Amino acid sequence: AQTVTQSQPEMSVQEAETVTLSCTYDTSESDYYLFWYKQPPSRQMILVIRQEAYKQQNATENRFSVNFQKAAKSFSLKISDSQLGDAAMYFCAYRSIKGGATNKLIFGTGTLLAVQP
Amino acid sequence: DVKVTQSSRYLVKRTGEKVFLECVQDMDHENMFWYRQDPGLGLRLIYFSYDVKMKEKGDIPEGYSVSREKKERFSLILESASTNQTSMYLCASSTTIGGSQHFGDGTRLSIL
């Protein structure tokens, strides 16, 4: 069974600085999707970034980028130029590429990011 | 934009009651999901559905059931609520191929 591990329960960053959130996963599949989700205090979970495992290029969305190391099964999220609005709980998630009944996401336990002004 | 709407933001019920949590999505997504979120445990999948009237157990289905009579609506049912079911409940939907999941605002359920 697949598992996702986030080893940092809490992180803190100064406004305008860069922070990296760690995520490792375990799977025997060769193709899959990886996601980072953000859950601000208002609670709605929002997709931050997505990576397909067959793509070697790291995904980037504005100030958010990932470092995807497939062999090491590592998927870290880098937030550049941190803003107060980035304060949230961040979840790493895995999803099989197969369809149908395997469409579920497997989540890590989350990292609570605080942004200091 | 995809809209996933959960019927209540906060709900307080008593032990032994039958509780219904409703979720509606407006993007014709095939898949719908119910999670519960607890501190330190992340999100755990309760049930999911990949088609109308089709359902699959997730990781923690005990004490819960679901209903999906129409594509846009997925209901979570607590047959006889217990205090250990006090939690945040999140509904999500997605397409089948490569779809990321879209979440509702969540329902904070307290069982007294």
Side-chain angles (χ1 to χ4, degrees):
Chain A
Q2 296 89 3
T3 58
V4 176
T5 302
Q6 293 178 252
S7 58
Q8 305 154 316
E10 296 182 16
M11 294 279 286
S12 182
V13 64
Q14 291 291 129
E15 204 174 357
E17 297 290 306
T18 295
V19 64
T20 298
L21 308 183
S22 301
C23 173
T24 58
Y25 59 94
D26 190 26
T27 183
S28 58
E29 298 179 329
S30 58
D31 284 327
Y32 44 86
Y33 301 103
L34 294 166
F35 305 88
W36 277 99
Y37 281 88
K38 170 185 177 182
Q39 188 181 38
S42 63
R43 295 181 303 167
Q44 186 176 41
M45 195 86 71
I46 303 165
L47 177 67
V48 175
I49 203 163
R50 167 187 141 152
Q51 175 84 40
E52 290 93 341
Y54 62 87
K55 290 187 178 178
Q56 293 187 346
Q57 186 172 6
N58 289 325
T60 299
E61 285 288 340
N62 301 314
R63 297 181 296 105
F64 297 87
S65 61
V66 297
N67 183 5
F68 174 47
Q69 302 288 328
K70 191 173 183 180
K73 296 180 182 174
S74 171
F75 183 61
S76 60
L77 176 70
K78 185 171 84 171
I79 306 173
S80 305
D81 185 26
S82 296
Q83 300 175 359
L84 295 177
D86 295 333
M89 181 71 86
Y90 287 82
F91 290 97
C92 178
Y94 170 103
R95 209 204 88 175
S96 173
I97 204 166
K98 302 171 191 172
T102 59
N103 267 273
K104 60 181 182 179
L105 286 173
I106 299 166
F107 285 88
T109 52
T111 297
L112 183 62
L113 178 67
V115 180
Q116 308 298 330
Chain B
D1 274 357
V2 176
K3 183 99 174 132
V4 179
T5 303
Q6 294 183 230
S7 53
S8 305
R9 290 291 293 265
Y10 300 94
L11 205 54
V12 180
K13 296 291 182 181
R14 297 211 172 271
T15 302
E17 279 193 70
K18 191 169 187 176
V19 181
F20 293 86
L21 302 183
E22 306 286 344
C23 176
V24 178
Q25 51 97 1
D26 66 356
M27 281 301 292
D28 202 37
H29 284 171
E30 298 88 357
N31 305 310
M32 295 189 75
F33 307 82
W34 276 106
Y35 297 90
R36 65 176 281 176
Q37 182 179 8
D38 300 289
L41 297 177
L43 276 75
R44 294 177 293 166
L45 182 66
I46 304 171
Y47 266 99
F48 66 103
S49 169
Y50 52 93
D51 202 351
V52 175
K53 297 189 187 291
M54 305 300 289
K55 60 186 179 185
E56 289 276 340
K57 291 180 180 180
D59 302 315
I60 51 164
E62 297 78 19
Y64 304 95
S65 62
V66 290
S67 173
R68 190 158 181 212
E69 296 296 319
K70 294 185 178 181
K71 193 173 186 180
E72 67 270 17
R73 186 179 296 271
F74 191 36
S75 302
L76 180 69
I77 304 155
L78 285 66
E79 297 290 344
S80 178
S82 63
T83 55
N84 62 12
Q85 293 177 309
T86 291
S87 186
M88 171 72 77
Y89 290 87
L90 294 174
C91 175
S93 72
S94 76
T95 57
T96 294
I97 307 300
S100 60
Q101 293 187 12
H102 301 263
F103 287 82
D105 285 341
T107 296
R108 174 75 67 187
L109 175 64
S110 296
I111 307 296
L112 304 179

